[in-house]
């Protein structure tokens, strides 16, 4: 994320830098040992093997921190977003940051020292220099033996002005289809097994690139939906041209079998949930995290109201942020779209919000608590003039109100206009300023204004230290989250996971499944007393827990989804051999004489075992 946001931030300030994509001849020794042990433990490696690994690596040490400290000591790095950034590193994918190509000699000198001390040396053939930001023209092709490139790749993601993410999708899709072909070739796999396999073995190849470059192009998304249905429903390889009955709709395949799905991954919602997770890290993570500091600085440059990323929860996706005529840069746009795809965020705390002195520092912009019937999407767009003039907090607004009231006009107001409104042209008229101040204060919740006025009085009396933005956010952010029928309990922003986000995003699918399949099935089973959708879903959940081969359970799921190739489902005007009129699923599984024979056999067996308290009904079958 840091390398994706940094070029846009530098370009916005007419600055540039150089990223050195390093490759070491001995990459393994750069891995932090504690990280390695933690990863092994998380993967389920046994305690004995883990102990042996610790013993074997007891005399070795990670050199990653040594490299970082050496580069810092040599003054290598760039200053951006108030931080000195030197390098980013993971195994042999390490990136050092230089102000310009003129700093390459000092970087190479430091790497020579590092190589002599550790035995790890750069691999010049695989190390490249990527200029980013406002890149000057006429750069050389090689600098001190290192290639100058317009595109570089790290951890499978391309960076640089020449990076074309869309160009990678055909190859990725080919890999997915190859996996799907192998899944289709496996014998005795139920639709559930194929669904789980496509999620874990096939679509998983797309998830990491999609997480950091965005959703696949629409044509690839449609193709992925088509081949997934082909494999899961019909057991056919993507290239198999044989015509078979397509009983299941593509959207119905995703989700847990206990919920009515067939185990396929709702990959569109899953990818979006990954983007939303990164968006929430932008809101909640400490500002000391490099990518967070860079992304927040970039957001502030793009939107006048972006005092804090909380506005990403409020602003409409796909539109320029308040105070801007341009879209957000792609990395921020991806995170914003992910957040706004989720249901609206609300205050879900159990205890009511207690207003206090912190209201003085509450942000005016991107504040969900300032939404009202008159301003359903907040006040950002309607009062953008204040944001453009540099007014960012409720306390600052009240201070401005007092200053304007004390300056009746002339030179006094000119001083206020200059020092507190940044000489913003709209406020050159005191009459306009007074009118707009009154409108903005009227748009705010009265209780908040009252609490901020009380804090301002205490500040004036020297009884209170000025609250900071962090104080207000520490009260507000922990209260925000989602209360949604798809969740067993309210979900706080800090508790968000990709899995829970996917559940939120797939709730429309669950509603559609209930309306299109569960409710009609309950009516079909017993027209006199149709079972509600929740009861039908509960039956599926119980059946899925039965210890039985999934291939034997599959017909019931297909029956429920009307995915059995009856004449009615095939749109054929062909009566049943019993000469019965309807040839739908109810006929074939209940009223047909052949079906009745099976039903009578089942009923007789259950009666003999004293397991049938009442006559066997269609709902039971």
């Amino acid at each position: 994320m840091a390398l994706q946001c940094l070029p846009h931030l530098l370009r916005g300030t007419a600055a540039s830098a150089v990223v050195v994509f390093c490759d070491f001849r001995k990459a393994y020794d750069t891995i932090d040992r504690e990280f390695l042990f933690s990863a092994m433990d998380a993967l389920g490696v046994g305690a004995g093997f883990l102990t042996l690994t610790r013993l074997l690596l007891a005399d070795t040490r990670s050199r990653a921190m040594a490299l970082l400290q050496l580069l810092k000591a040599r003054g290598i790095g760039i200053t951006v977003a108030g931080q000195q950034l030197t390098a980013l590193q993971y195994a042999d994918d390490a990136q050092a940051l230089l102000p310009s190509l003129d700093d390459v000699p000092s970087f190479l000198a430091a790497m020579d020292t590092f190589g002599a001390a550790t035995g790890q040396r750069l691999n010049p053939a695989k190390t490249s220099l990527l200029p980013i930001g406002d890149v000057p023209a006429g750069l050389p092709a090689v600098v001190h033996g290192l290639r100058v490139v317009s595109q570089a790749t790290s951890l499978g993601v391309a960076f640089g002005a020449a990076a074309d993410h869309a160009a990678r999708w055909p190859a990725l899709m080919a890999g997915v289809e190859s996996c799907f072909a192998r899944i289709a070739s496996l014998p005795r796999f139920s639709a559930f097994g194929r669904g789980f396999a496509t999620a874990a073995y096939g679509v998983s190849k797309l998830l990491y690139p999609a997480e950091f470059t965005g959703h696949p192009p629409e044509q690839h998304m449609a193709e992925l939906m088509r081949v997934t249905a082909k494999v899961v429903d019909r057991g056919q390889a993507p290239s198999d041209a044989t015509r078979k009955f397509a009983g299941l709709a593509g959207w119905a395949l995703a989700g847990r079998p206990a919920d009515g799905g067939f185990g396929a991954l709702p990959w569109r919602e899953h990818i979006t949930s990954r983007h939303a997770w990164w968006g929430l890290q932008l809101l909640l993570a400490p500002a000391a995290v490099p990518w967070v500091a860079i992304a927040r600085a970039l957001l502030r440059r793009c939107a006048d109201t972006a005092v804090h990323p909380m506005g990403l929860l409020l602003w409409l996706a796909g539109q320029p942020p308040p105070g801007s005529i341009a879209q957000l840069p792609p990395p921020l746009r991806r995170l914003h779209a992910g957040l706004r795809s989720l249901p609206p965020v609300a205050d879900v705390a159990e205890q009511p919000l207690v207003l206090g002195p912190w209201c003085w520092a509450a942000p005016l912009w991107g504040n969900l608590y300032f939404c009202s019937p008159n301003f359903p999407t907040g006040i950002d767009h309607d009062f953008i003039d204040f944001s453009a003039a540099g007014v960012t907090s409720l306390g600052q607004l009240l201070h401005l109100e007092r200053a304007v009231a004390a300056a009746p006009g002339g030179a006094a107001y000119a001083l206020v206009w200059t020092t507190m409104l940044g000489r913003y042209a709209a406020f050159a008229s005191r009459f306009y300023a007074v009118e707009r101040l009154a409108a903005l204060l009227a748009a705010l919740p009265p209780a908040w204004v009252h609490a901020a006025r009380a804090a301002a009085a205490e500040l004036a009396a020297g009884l209170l230290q000025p609250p900071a933005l962090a104080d207000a956010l520490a009260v507000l952010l922990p209260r925000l989250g989602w209360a949604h029928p798809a969740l067993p309990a309210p979900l706080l922003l800090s508790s968000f996971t990709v899995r829970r986000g996917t559940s939120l995003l797939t709730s429309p699918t669950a509603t559609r499944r209930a309306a299109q399949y569960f409710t009609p099935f309950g009516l079909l089973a017993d027209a006199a007393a149709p079972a509600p959708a929740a009861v039908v879903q509960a039956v599926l959940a119980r059946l899925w827990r039965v210890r039985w081969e999934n291939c034997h359970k599959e017909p019931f799921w297909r029956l429920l989804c009307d995915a059995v190739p009856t004449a009615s489902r095939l749109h054929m005007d062909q009566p049943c051999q019993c000469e019965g009129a309807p040839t739908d699923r109810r006929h074939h599984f209940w009223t047909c004489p052949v079906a009745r024979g099976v039903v009578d056999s089942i009923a007789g067996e259950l009666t003999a075992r004293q397991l049938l308290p009442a006559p066997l009904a269609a709902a039971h079958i």
Side-chain angles (χ1 to χ4, degrees), residues 153-544:
T153 301
S154 175
L155 297 177
V157 178
F159 301 93
D164 184 4
H165 300 303
R168 298 190 61 222
W169 286 110
L172 291 170
M173 282 296 300
V176 170
E177 293 189 5
S178 177
C179 290
F180 280 11
R182 287 192 287 272
I183 293 170
S185 68
L186 296 174
R188 294 181 298 180
F189 247 30
S190 67
F192 303 119
R194 294 191 296 270
F196 289 130
T198 59
Y201 181 53
V203 179
S204 60
K205 293 181 176 296
L206 300 177
L207 299 182
Y208 181 81
E211 180 175 356
F212 291 102
T213 62
H215 286 278
E218 192 59 40
Q219 67 268 27
H220 294 306
M221 296 173 80
E223 176 66 9
L224 183 57
M225 178 73 77
R226 187 187 69 82
V227 297
T228 301
K230 195 172 184 179
V231 172
V232 177
D233 178 23
R234 306 189 287 281
Q236 292 180 279
S239 60
D240 190 344
T242 306
R243 291 179 62 86
K244 286 189 176 182
F245 171 64
L248 294 166
W251 65 267
L253 300 173
R256 302 186 312 155
D259 296 330
F262 284 79
L265 181 72
W267 46 268
R268 191 189 299 260
E269 292 84 358
H270 179 86
I271 293 169
T272 301
S273 184
R274 290 191 179 205
H275 297 164
W277 184 89
W278 281 100
L280 288 174
Q281 301 314 299
L282 181 58
L283 265 71
L284 304 175
V289 178
W291 85 264
V292 172
I294 294 171
R296 288 180 181 176
L298 176 59
L299 184 60
R300 284 192 293 272
R301 288 202 61 83
C302 296
D304 288 336
T305 60
V307 179
H308 185 268
M310 206 162 52
L312 295 176
L313 298 171
L314 192 60
W315 305 330
L316 295 178
Q319 297 183 13
S324 175
I325 60 172
Q327 293 276 6
L328 291 173
L332 295 182
R333 196 185 315 156
R334 184 173 67 242
L335 273 53
H336 184 204
L339 288 172
R340 293 296 287 144
S341 296
L342 297 170
V345 171
D347 187 325
V348 296
E350 295 182 0
Q351 300 299 323
L353 177 64
V354 179
L355 302 179
W358 57 268
C359 291
W360 187 87
L364 287 171
W365 320 120
N367 194 329
L368 281 78
Y369 289 87
F370 293 167
C371 295
S372 65
N374 291 332
F375 303 95
T377 60
I379 62 174
D380 297 33
H381 286 281
D382 295 270
F383 296 95
I384 190 65
D385 47 356
F386 283 97
S387 175
V391 181
T392 60
S393 68
L394 184 49
Q396 191 178 357
L397 178 67
L398 296 178
H399 186 42
L400 175 64
E401 179 195 31
R402 290 194 302 272
V404 171
Y413 179 73
L415 181 62
V416 173
W417 180 49
T418 300
T419 58
M420 302 185 67
L421 291 167
R423 296 182 64 84
Y424 187 67
F427 291 106
S429 165
R430 182 181 180 279
F431 176 80
Y432 176 86
V434 171
E435 186 180 60
R436 292 293 287 164
L437 275 167
L440 177 51
L441 287 168
L444 298 174
W448 284 62
V449 176
H450 177 76
R453 289 193 191 279
E458 292 187 39
L459 283 168
L463 302 176
L464 179 70
Q465 290 293 322
L469 173 64
D471 299 322
L473 294 177
V475 175
L476 300 178
L477 288 178
R479 304 180 60 85
L480 298 178
W482 299 270
H484 195 273
L487 300 170
L491 174 65
L492 297 174
L493 298 184
S494 57
S495 301
F496 182 90
T497 62
V498 173
R499 180 189 292 272
R500 288 173 172 173
T502 304
S503 296
L504 283 172
L505 292 169
T506 54
S507 59
T509 301
T511 302
R512 182 180 180 183
R513 181 179 283 120
Q516 189 165 330
Y517 294 138
F518 293 173
T519 299
F521 187 77
L523 181 64
L524 177 73
D526 190 347
V535 172
V536 175
Q537 190 272 322
V539 171
L540 289 179
R542 292 198 302 272
L543 180 55
W544 184 248

